[in-house]
Amino acid sequence: MWSPAPLCALGRRRPGPSAPLQPLTRLLRREYREKTPIRLLHGEYREYRELLLSGQGWGRTQPLPPRRFVSDKPKSRRHPKTFPVLDGRVPAVYRHVFEENLRNSEAVIKRYSELLEKVKKGGGENAILRHTRRNKKLFVRERLRLLLDQEDFLELSPLAGLDMPYGDVPAAGCLTGIGRICGIWCVFIASDATVKGGTIYPIGVKKQLRAQEIAMENRLLSVHLVDSGGAFLPLQSELFPDKLHGGRIFYNEAIMSAMGLPQVAVVCGSCVAGGAYIPTMAEESVIIDKIGTLFLAGPPLVKAATGEDVSPEDLGGARLHSQVSGCSDHFAPSEEEAYVCIRNVVSALNCHPVPEWDREPDSPLYSPEELLGLAPLDYSCTLPVKLILSRLVDGSRFQEFKATYGTTLVTGFGHVEGHLVGMVANNGELAHDAALKGSHFVQLCGQRGIPILFLQNTAPQPAGPASISEAEAHSNRLKAQASMMAAVACAAVPKITIVIGGCFGSDSYVMCGRSFSPNFLFLWPNARVALVDSRHFPTVPPAGDWAGGELELKQLQAKLEEESSAFYSSSRLWDDGIILPQDTRKVIAQCLEIMEQKKFQAVSPHPHPIIRM
């Protein structure tokens, strides 16, 4: 039995008797600074600085830094409210475009909601009944409810695995995302055994690898809820032999351990074949009595190889691995007690949550619901991007950079829920001047350590040059875009990309598309992702060497149309999920807070993994 209260409370900042002293502390510190002479001798300055840092005389002591996180007291983060206010009113001349966009948004959101409801049912009602009643297990979403703090979490790529060549694999057979456990942001990877009996498909491997990549990029600890039947053998060539196939999961576990990123696991069902390595390579693992089993080959294979009948419990049950093999560190009599235990394990990792900043963000002056009318149906229905920015930033305040130069790209600074962010937003074709401006701005953010938000709505690829002057202009544009590509690729700051419209051709690379490794990339439901825009694709055979006819062109256009939808993209994990336009501000703020956690971490001094046995 484990008590949920004592250990989990360690990671939270509790109000106590010292809380009312905080305003007094700030007042005394300000008075001390004001009354202390500025011109001090070197030794006196050092003593003065140490006094300020230590907080002596104000009842404040500095705790020892934890093993992985550098802790600090919450500080005030009130940003100056002097940035210019954006005019977010939609001009009457754009009203018909706004209404057309709104109708399209309502249609694609309805489709998105239908797919999301389908995914939430896992393998279907019959599979859930079999899982919960006959096998006496909790459904995966109920497990997450017990594991995570009682607040919203960020689910990643929920539509992954739909409409694949080998059929539907709802949510790719596992739920991944980021949530808090005892106040600490954690990546979770939770198997859903109601989907294909927990069998791992190629898209499931890809989804788990992406979750591990996010954990490494943002230095987050990982929690695995393992309930898997191993790889789907008919597709073994797509999930076993290559570099980024199944074995990479175990490689990443070792690398993450060497990086000082904790990983813990719960064996809450079958853990067969390669999946058995996940809990045995974790720092600590819990196994559940009568439910969790762990072995490389199950009873049927033992029977086929040796003729011996053996039960799953005798072959690799909870008592065996807790008392004999040592593969598990904690024995849990029930699922509920297992999640209490793993929360206490997280509390004992000596990791501190992100300090609770004293933020007082202003809401945007314009309703986020109006973003539905600003999400473009296609490129011809694009409205000025500042209308979108005015519904995302605190108080609709935005400090624009080079406002009158390269106006087809909007750059500047704003705050999202109190976080300072550099913003780069398409506002037309990414021309020469706009690309140079973007390169300059991205480098500024890199030097100042400011996260960058890209709002991507790239123009369809232009036709080839028809004259020498046009060819020269194309060459200059190409050079400027190459400069911005280099700046984006080398900017060592967190990056978030939201595709609010089109994601076409090379312009998408410049705007930090998937291949440029943003920390997070999300799509609006109306987004289009393709090399070329199918709506601008010719349906008349071009002159020259084209051997096909008009029918082939129409078939190609229909294929491009299908493959460029946001749902097709998200089902193949080309992004981290589809988000609703009106939820964009909330998701951005959540991502910024998640990425902020690594600021309070210390790099592990021991660059080697934990070898359990």
Side-chain angles (χ1 to χ4, degrees):
M1 297 287 292
W2 298 271
S3 171
L7 286 173
C8 286
L10 296 177
R12 299 171 186 252
R13 186 167 62 90
R14 291 174 175 268
S18 62
L21 296 178
Q22 290 179 359
L24 178 61
T25 299
R26 289 196 293 267
L27 176 63
L28 288 172
R29 183 177 301 173
R30 185 169 65 249
E31 289 181 355
Y32 186 89
R33 284 175 175 154
E34 289 172 354
K35 294 179 180 178
T36 304
I38 299 300
R39 295 180 179 178
L40 300 173
L41 297 177
H42 178 70
E44 293 174 335
Y45 172 76
R46 185 167 62 243
E47 292 174 1
Y48 165 63
R49 182 175 179 274
E50 289 173 356
L51 181 62
L52 285 178
L53 291 177
S54 66
Q56 294 176 14
W58 300 313
R60 178 184 174 191
T61 58
Q62 289 282 22
L64 291 174
R67 178 164 65 99
R68 291 189 177 90
F69 287 74
V70 178
S71 144
D72 197 4
K73 295 289 184 183
K75 299 177 182 177
S76 175
R77 181 178 282 192
R78 294 186 179 90
H79 53 268
K81 300 179 180 180
T82 56
F83 286 180
V85 176
L86 292 170
D87 184 0
R89 294 172 297 179
V90 180
V93 69
Y94 294 141
R95 206 70 213 174
H96 67 289
V97 179
F98 182 92
E99 291 170 357
E100 192 174 353
N101 288 338
L102 180 60
R103 286 191 293 270
N104 179 68
S105 291
E106 290 171 346
V108 292
I109 288 174
K110 181 182 178 182
R111 173 65 175 154
Y112 170 70
S113 301
E114 291 170 353
L115 293 175
L116 210 55
E117 283 302 313
K118 178 181 178 180
V119 164
K120 286 182 178 178
K121 295 177 181 177
E125 293 180 2
N126 292 335
I128 292 175
L129 287 175
R130 188 163 56 247
H131 179 83
T132 54
R133 293 185 181 178
R134 193 178 76 181
N135 298 335
K136 308 298 182 185
K137 298 179 183 178
L138 295 177
F139 186 46
V140 63
R141 295 188 181 273
E142 179 65 16
R143 287 170 172 169
L144 290 176
R145 188 186 67 79
L146 294 174
L147 173 70
L148 303 173
D149 293 350
Q150 297 301 309
E151 61 182 19
D152 292 340
F153 60 88
L154 180 63
E155 185 174 355
L156 300 171
S157 304
L159 301 186
L162 295 181
D163 197 25
M164 300 299 290
Y166 38 78
D168 282 347
V169 186
C174 64
L175 269 63
T176 64
I178 306 172
R180 279 194 178 105
I181 298 177
C182 299
I184 300 166
W185 288 109
C186 308
V187 168
F188 61 81
I189 303 173
S191 306
D192 184 357
T194 69
V195 177
K196 311 291 185 183
T199 307
I200 300 174
Y201 278 69
I203 191 66
V205 171
K206 187 176 181 182
K207 187 171 182 179
Q208 292 186 50
L209 289 176
R210 174 57 183 157
Q212 288 183 318
E213 182 184 8
I214 287 173
M216 286 188 280
E217 284 180 345
N218 300 288
R219 296 194 61 81
L220 302 171
L221 68 91
S222 302
V223 180
H224 296 261
L225 306 185
V226 190
D227 189 357
S228 168
F232 183 60
L233 287 178
L235 294 175
Q236 64 86 28
S237 64
E238 298 180 41
L239 53 78
F240 169 70
D242 207 354
K243 178 180 178 180
L244 296 180
H245 284 173
R248 192 71 177 190
I249 296 171
F250 317 129
Y251 172 87
N252 286 345
E253 279 198 83
I255 295 299
M256 291 164 71
S257 181
M259 292 170 64
L261 302 180
Q263 299 157 90
V264 296
V266 180
V267 181
C268 47
S270 296
C271 197
V272 184
Y277 290 109
I278 291 176
T280 53
M281 292 184 72
E283 288 195 7
E284 291 189 52
S285 63
V286 182
I287 192 167
I288 302 171
D289 189 29
K290 305 282 192 306
I291 292 177
T293 54
L294 181 68
F295 32 62
L296 289 176
L301 285 178
V302 173
K303 173 73 172 177
T306 67
E308 181 183 359
D309 288 312
V310 61
S311 70
E313 192 66 23
D314 291 337
L315 184 62
R319 295 190 183 277
L320 175 80
H321 287 304
S322 298
Q323 300 172 6
V324 180
S325 74
C327 287
S328 178
D329 308 297
H330 305 278
F331 173 90
S334 68
E335 285 213 56
E336 291 80 3
E337 291 172 279
Y339 302 118
V340 171
C341 177
I342 210 68
R343 285 176 61 86
N344 287 337
V345 167
V346 170
S347 295
L349 292 172
N350 200 19
C351 300
H352 289 190
V354 177
E356 297 177 8
W357 302 104
D358 183 14
R359 293 193 181 97
E360 295 181 357
D362 294 331
S363 299
L365 301 180
Y366 305 93
S367 170
E369 296 296 327
E370 294 175 337
L371 289 170
L372 299 182
L374 300 175
L377 168 63
D378 61 26
Y379 191 74
S380 63
C381 295
T382 299
L383 297 179
V385 76
K386 289 180 187 178
L387 297 177
I388 293 176
L389 291 175
S390 67
R391 288 157 176 82
L392 297 180
V393 295
D394 295 355
S396 300
R397 295 182 179 88
F398 183 67
Q399 176 65 29
E400 190 167 1
F401 176 75
K402 289 190 174 180
T404 59
Y405 178 82
T407 54
T408 55
L409 188 73
V410 172
T411 56
F413 299 101
H415 294 85
V416 179
E417 296 286 350
H419 299 271
L420 178 64
V421 187
M423 300 188 178
V424 181
N426 287 119
N427 197 40
E429 183 180 331
L430 193 61
H432 170 269
D433 291 353
L436 288 180
K437 166 181 166 179
S439 176
H440 184 181
F441 181 75
V442 167
Q443 291 176 75
L444 287 179
C445 292
Q447 276 205 344
R448 299 173 187 177
I450 298 173
I452 307 174
L453 171 66
F454 293 87
L455 297 182
Q456 187 178 134
N457 181 25
T458 59
Q461 292 297 91
S467 65
I468 294 177
S469 60
E470 285 189 12
E472 185 178 354
H474 274 237
S475 297
N476 290 333
R477 177 173 175 266
L478 180 65
K479 287 189 292 183
Q481 287 193 354
S483 171
M484 186 172 172
M485 273 191 202
V488 170
C490 297
V493 292
K495 296 182 276 282
I496 303 171
T497 301
I498 311 288
V499 181
I500 61 174
C503 176
F504 300 118
S506 59
D507 286 11
S508 69
Y509 305 146
V510 182
M511 291 296 293
C512 202
R514 187 63 146 181
S515 53
F516 275 61
S517 295
N519 294 62
F520 296 97
L521 187 151
F522 299 102
L523 308 181
W524 282 1
N526 58 293
R528 314 289 298 180
V529 182
L531 182 61
V532 296
D533 187 356
S534 61
R535 298 167 186 178
H536 294 77
F537 194 74
T539 54
V540 178
D545 299 330
W546 174 260
E550 188 173 339
L551 178 61
E552 285 83 353
L553 275 176
K554 288 184 177 179
Q555 290 174 342
L556 178 57
Q557 184 186 35
K559 186 173 186 291
L560 283 171
E561 178 71 17
E562 177 191 357
E563 293 179 354
S564 64
S565 78
F567 307 117
Y568 189 94
S569 169
S570 206
S571 70
R572 282 150 182 80
L573 279 165
W574 297 346
D575 53 72
D576 295 316
I578 295 173
I579 60 174
L580 299 180
Q582 61 267 38
D583 294 337
T584 303
R585 174 178 159 86
K586 177 183 176 182
V587 171
I588 292 170
Q590 207 168 17
C591 290
L592 290 168
E593 187 166 344
I594 289 166
M595 294 185 296
E596 193 175 61
Q597 183 165 275
K598 67 181 177 181
K599 289 182 181 179
F600 305 94
Q601 297 184 29
V603 177
S604 173
H606 307 293
H608 54 76
I610 291 177
I611 309 300
R612 289 174 50 90
M613 303 298 290

